[in-house]
Amino acid sequence: MIEFRQVSKTYPGSDKPVVEDLSFEVLEGEICVLVGPSGCGKTTSMRMVNRLIEITEGEILIDGEPNTAMSGTQLRRKIGYAIQQIGLFPHRTIADNIGTVPNLLGWDRGRIKSRVDELLDTVGLSPDEYRNRYPAELSGGQQQRVGVARALAADPPIMLMDEPFGAVDPITREGLQDEFLRIQQDIKKTIVFVTHDIDEAIKMGDKIAILKQGGVLAQYDTPENILSEPDSEFVSSFVGGDRVLKRLSLTRVGEMDLEPANGGTDGLLRIDEGLTVKDALSELIGSGHSRAVVEKDGENGLLTFEAIEDLMGGASGEPSNGGESSA
Amino acid sequence: MLYKILEVYARPDFPEKLRQHVLLSLVALLVAIAIAMPVALMIRNSRLGALIAINIGNIGRAVPSLAILALALPFFGIGFGSALVALTALAIPPILINASTGLREVDKGVIDAARGMGLSGGQILARIQLPIAAPVIFAGIRTSAVQTVASATLATFIGGGGLGDLIVEGYSRRGPEILLAGALAVAILAIITEIGFGVLERAFTPKGLKIAQKRRK
Amino acid sequence: MSNPALLLLQDLTGGTELVDWEWLGENFWEDILPALQGHIFLSSISVAIALIIALPVGILSARYRKAYPPVTFVTGILYSIPSLALFAILISIPGVAIGPSPVIIALVAYSLLILIRNTVAGLDSVPPETKDAARGMGLTDRQILFRVELPLALPIIVAGIRIATVTIIGIATIGAYINGGGLGTLIFDGIQRQFPTMIIAGAVLATAMAIVADLLLLALERYLRPWARVRRT
């Protein structure tokens, strides 16, 4: 667990704080996404956790202990670290790169080697093919995978990730995000994740901390609550005019409570249970139907506009925040 | 002619001249490394320091080597020591400039990742910055070495000895075989230095960086 | 002589004055100025001749890639031969008399590697899509060379001229040993007569000349790169 307690950061020679009175908790095994416009202090906040930047006021507790209880380098060896620039060491092989922290911690060679192979497998790179290559021989997406593997190497309970999938094209990024979420289901790390992209925040976060200029916390909540109840003008404009649709993308059709489809379903549109509600709605409108059949556990459910409205809290049409287009 | 040249190499004083030349160059180079490297390490995190070092280095490069050797004369007098001081001063700028830029040009993301994983300042220097900057640093040492071997030929003008003695002797006595013998010996020594340090430079370039260089092309 | 620093230097050198201002004043027109003029002549004519050779060789090397390694090998060897040795070898050739000619030949030889390498690097730096666009608009190979490639390569070529010029100004001083003239005359005479003033005059003027040439060519390099100037501001 990571707890920010009234954390502020002011650089010497400046009277404006870059982070101001920040307090929130990241629960064990959760991904907390720090998101906000540039200059909101999200990266600074993250870098204060492993003390790459020192706090001016307040404290950060890790499992109840202040993070100043040990030296900065000791602390950082216990916290995974992955960044957008990746920063793979160009003169070291992939295996040496991944083995960096285990090496610092004095693991024996056999243990490092088997850990490296295990991690390469985890991130979907064949160990035999990649362990002795050099970073320059890998594509951008592969390098990002190695960056994540390197951060996971010593099995740290906590990870800091600063736009870790930022340096690749959108399609590769989506793939890496999905894969990482799948990995996270097994490893259950406590993660502070920084991004400027609200869609990535909604997708990756168990909790989202939205920061605004000057490092002030605007809202801290689950993605659902932030989308359904933005508690300020700033938050609602930051999440965008399509926040209703974004909410729909949080749920899959298979997770909805659907009325059983009695009688004939012939001729009706069929929708895959794995689709997000947003995509299902798009199919529905596009096909000109008002209802569709979703097959789940061998039973047919009926997806209707009413069912989708119920999902959004029964209200027939979320207030669309005057003035904003809902495209 | 060729026979006459070979006769010069058989002269009893030739090995001594060669020894002086190599010694002058080698000691000057080593002392220059011993001065330039610590300075480059000290200023590796300071933008101002690097700016000053590079500007001093550039001005140093604009001073003709003959001028530096000649200027040693009024201060340190005639002889080997005087030439050594001048050659050392000449050898410093290329090493300082390359070491300083090489260390500073290590990718910021790489350094940040290393810090973030808990490498200490010393570990980052020894395991990350120095190996990555090694090819650039060695290129500087190579430039410096070739230049020092060349400038050591001029040591003869301030009584510093070396193979330049033969050139001066051949020129003033109008002995073309002595002149050519000296010139060829110096030329071969310089080319050997150039090739030898080139091999060294490649040997100290980590494999991963060689691959990266090739990819970039 | 009330400058404390100079007095200190005077002490260090055992009483002999480092700079004899009176001598400088008396001999300025007779010795110093001709030496400076000679040096400017030697350096500029050498760079000019070197350019006349290096530009076509560089352009051809960029076109016919197989020719490039042997060209850099030969010019690289010329470049690494110490200057005094090269002067000595040149005046050993029957028919080459001592004087400015062998000095100019040597100085040209030294500049070739730098100039050719930068010409090739400059032409290589032109993006292939730019050349492709020019071809697509119907420019001939010759037009592409003169209107697209060379203008874009010019800043890098000028950067090469800068390095070559500074190098040549330094090496030209050594040419005085084989009667090439220039500022080296002051330095060699100063050594011979044990007269520091002459050494310092030659050294300071040669250094100043190198720095001035460097700055002028740097200004030219910036001027030729207006696109970079716009981006910087």
Side-chain angles (χ1 to χ4, degrees):
Chain A
M1 195 187 76
I2 305 167
E3 187 182 354
F4 279 69
R5 274 196 192 162
Q6 290 162 342
V7 173
S8 294
K9 174 71 194 179
T10 310
Y11 281 104
S14 158
D15 48 351
K16 270 195 182 159
V18 286
V19 172
E20 198 175 357
D21 199 26
L22 199 59
S23 295
F24 63 89
E25 274 179 30
V26 186
L27 297 180
E28 192 123 10
E30 279 194 353
I31 299 180
C32 165
V33 180
L34 304 182
V35 65
S38 58
C40 72
K42 52 192 189 290
T43 294
T44 305
S45 304
M46 186 202 82
R47 288 166 73 90
M48 286 191 290
V49 175
N50 67 354
R51 287 174 53 202
L52 284 170
I53 294 175
E54 296 288 354
I55 293 174
T56 314
E57 266 176 74
E59 59 180 354
I60 294 177
L61 304 182
I62 294 175
D63 293 328
E65 289 267 328
N67 68 352
T68 47
M70 60 180 87
S71 80
T73 50
Q74 292 293 328
L75 175 77
R76 294 195 271 272
R77 288 172 196 183
K78 296 181 176 188
I79 298 178
Y81 187 65
I83 53 176
Q84 180 182 3
Q85 306 89 312
I86 315 172
L88 294 184
F89 304 148
H91 59 305
R92 301 248 178 126
T93 62
I94 299 308
D96 288 341
N97 264 286
I98 296 175
T100 303
V101 177
N103 205 331
L104 289 172
L105 296 174
W107 292 16
D108 65 63
R109 292 176 58 160
R111 188 173 166 210
I112 295 179
K113 188 180 177 300
S114 62
R115 179 64 179 157
V116 166
D117 287 358
E118 182 191 344
L119 281 164
L120 279 171
D121 264 330
T122 309
V123 298
L125 296 171
S126 145
D128 287 334
E129 197 177 331
Y130 288 97
R131 87 169 69 85
N132 293 321
R133 291 212 194 172
Y134 286 93
E137 297 172 288
L138 269 54
S139 71
Q142 289 168 335
Q143 292 190 24
Q144 297 257 358
R145 286 162 198 257
V146 174
V148 171
R150 185 171 69 169
L152 287 167
D155 204 12
I158 293 175
M159 304 251 296
L160 305 180
M161 308 179 88
D162 188 353
E163 311 219 10
F165 312 127
V168 291
D169 62 88
I171 294 176
T172 311
R173 185 180 315 144
E174 285 221 11
L176 289 171
Q177 288 167 344
D178 292 337
E179 233 175 282
F180 186 74
L181 286 175
R182 206 196 61 232
I183 296 170
Q184 166 69 355
Q185 290 192 333
D186 297 330
I187 58 179
K188 292 268 174 243
K189 300 291 180 196
T190 307
I191 297 172
V192 177
F193 190 110
V194 168
T195 180
H196 66 274
D197 174 4
I198 184 68
D199 292 310
E200 186 173 43
I202 292 166
K203 180 169 180 181
M204 302 302 289
D206 294 305
K207 296 275 172 54
I208 295 178
I210 298 188
L211 299 174
K212 58 183 174 189
Q213 294 289 340
V216 178
L217 187 62
Q219 190 169 2
Y220 182 64
D221 215 324
T222 60
E224 287 85 355
N225 288 345
I226 282 188
L227 288 172
S228 58
E229 293 157 40
D231 67 5
S232 66
E233 192 63 30
F234 171 78
V235 172
S236 72
S237 85
F238 187 76
V239 298
D242 61 340
R243 61 190 168 85
V244 176
L245 289 177
K246 281 188 175 124
R247 272 179 75 198
L248 292 179
S249 68
L250 288 170
T251 314
R252 297 194 183 276
V253 182
E255 296 160 5
M256 292 174 74
D257 266 339
L258 294 179
E259 277 180 42
N262 300 321
T265 59
D266 291 350
L268 279 178
L269 181 69
R270 291 192 158 267
I271 283 179
D272 188 274
E273 59 160 323
L275 240 51
T276 66
V277 181
K278 179 183 169 188
D279 290 347
L281 182 65
S282 170
E283 289 251 319
L284 210 54
I285 296 170
S287 68
H289 288 81
S290 59
R291 47 178 52 194
V293 177
V294 178
E295 191 181 321
K296 190 174 112 187
D297 306 327
E299 286 183 25
N300 285 332
L302 207 56
L303 180 69
T304 59
F305 287 132
E306 291 75 29
I308 294 174
E309 278 173 9
D310 285 346
L311 181 72
M312 303 308 292
S316 57
E318 192 75 12
S320 72
N321 238 335
E324 284 174 2
S325 87
S326 54
Chain B
M1 191 67 187
L2 184 67
Y3 182 73
K4 280 185 174 172
I5 290 173
L6 289 176
E7 257 181 4
V8 178
Y9 294 143
R11 265 166 45 173
D13 62 339
F14 178 75
E16 174 60 15
K17 307 255 182 248
L18 181 63
R19 197 186 66 87
Q20 282 172 345
H21 202 107
V22 172
L23 199 65
L24 265 178
S25 313
L26 197 65
V27 175
L29 185 68
L30 291 177
V31 176
I33 293 173
I35 294 171
M37 281 308 292
V39 174
L41 292 182
M42 265 188 307
I43 60 171
R44 71 181 195 276
N45 295 321
S46 150
R47 181 191 278 225
L48 183 70
L51 198 72
I52 292 172
I54 286 171
N55 274 306
I56 289 179
N58 275 331
I59 292 174
R61 279 208 285 215
V63 185
S65 48
L66 178 66
I68 292 189
L69 276 146
L71 282 174
L73 204 55
F75 292 98
F76 305 102
I78 276 179
F80 187 86
S82 190
L84 196 57
V85 173
L87 290 175
T88 304
L90 274 168
I92 290 174
I95 304 174
L96 184 61
I97 290 177
N98 276 44
S100 168
T101 38
L103 287 170
R104 289 181 61 79
E105 276 172 3
V106 175
D107 187 77
K108 295 283 173 292
V110 169
I111 306 277
D112 185 43
R115 280 187 69 210
M117 284 190 287
L119 275 79
S120 66
Q123 286 169 332
I124 292 176
L125 178 63
R127 300 185 191 188
I128 312 295
Q129 286 176 298
L130 278 176
I132 293 177
V136 183
I137 296 174
F138 270 92
I141 294 177
R142 176 190 188 177
T143 309
S144 182
V146 175
Q147 187 187 300
T148 308
V149 169
S151 303
T153 320
L154 309 176
T156 180
F157 296 131
I158 59 166
L163 292 167
D165 283 359
L166 291 175
I167 297 178
V168 169
E169 185 191 331
Y171 184 72
S172 51
R173 277 215 251 135
R174 301 279 181 263
E177 70 280 356
I178 306 175
L179 184 72
L180 260 183
L184 289 177
V186 170
I188 291 167
L189 192 61
I191 292 169
I192 289 174
T193 308
E194 165 85 19
I195 294 172
F197 276 86
V199 170
L200 214 59
E201 190 182 320
R202 272 189 291 281
F204 275 87
T205 304
K207 193 178 165 207
L209 294 184
K210 278 185 200 157
I211 293 170
Q213 283 166 0
K214 228 177 273 166
R215 294 281 151 129
R216 231 171 283 145
K217 275 179 191 166
Chain C
M1 287 290 286
S2 55
N3 188 324
L6 284 177
L7 287 175
L8 181 70
L9 280 176
Q10 215 170 312
D11 283 350
L12 284 173
T13 51
T16 35
E17 276 187 35
L18 261 187
V19 179
D20 181 346
W21 296 101
E22 215 171 301
W23 183 90
L24 283 178
E26 280 168 8
N27 294 274
F28 181 77
W29 297 103
E30 213 170 301
D31 287 333
I32 299 175
L33 194 63
L36 181 63
Q37 285 168 336
H39 211 85
I40 294 174
F41 166 77
L42 276 179
S43 314
S44 44
I45 196 127
S46 305
V47 176
I49 296 174
L51 264 177
I52 292 172
I53 300 171
L55 275 178
V57 173
I59 292 170
L60 288 175
S61 304
R63 277 288 135 83
Y64 306 102
R65 230 33 214 241
K66 273 198 192 127
Y68 190 40
V71 166
T72 46
F73 180 76
V74 173
T75 52
I77 285 187
L78 285 177
Y79 184 73
S80 57
I81 297 176
S83 40
L84 189 60
L86 190 54
F87 291 144
I89 292 169
L90 283 171
I91 58 171
S92 305
I93 298 171
V96 180
I98 58 171
S101 323
V103 174
I104 292 171
I105 296 173
L107 295 180
V108 169
Y110 281 118
S111 334
L112 288 179
L113 176 70
I114 302 168
L115 292 176
I116 292 173
R117 211 158 47 186
N118 276 50
T119 306
V120 173
L123 291 172
D124 280 354
S125 76
V126 179
E129 59 269 24
T130 308
K131 283 182 267 185
D132 195 45
R135 200 165 296 128
M137 286 185 283
L139 276 77
T140 64
D141 280 353
R142 176 181 296 245
Q143 287 168 327
I144 293 173
L145 178 65
F146 285 103
R147 298 191 194 177
V148 179
E149 291 182 284
L150 281 179
L152 285 173
L154 210 50
I156 297 182
I157 298 176
V158 173
I161 300 177
R162 254 179 86 196
I163 303 171
T165 306
V166 172
T167 312
I168 277 184
I169 291 173
I171 295 174
T173 53
I174 303 165
Y177 186 66
I178 57 166
N179 291 0
L183 292 164
T185 321
L186 296 176
I187 299 177
F188 279 113
D189 282 357
I191 294 173
Q192 203 117 56
R193 295 196 223 160
Q194 299 269 338
F195 184 35
T197 304
M198 288 183 86
I199 299 177
I200 290 172
V204 168
L205 284 176
T207 307
M209 194 178 140
I211 292 174
V212 168
D214 190 45
L215 292 177
L216 284 178
L217 288 165
L218 178 68
L220 179 64
E221 195 185 323
R222 294 246 165 99
Y223 172 76
L224 289 170
R225 218 194 279 256
W227 55 89
R229 216 167 35 218
V230 169
R231 206 177 298 157
R232 203 173 302 136
T233 47

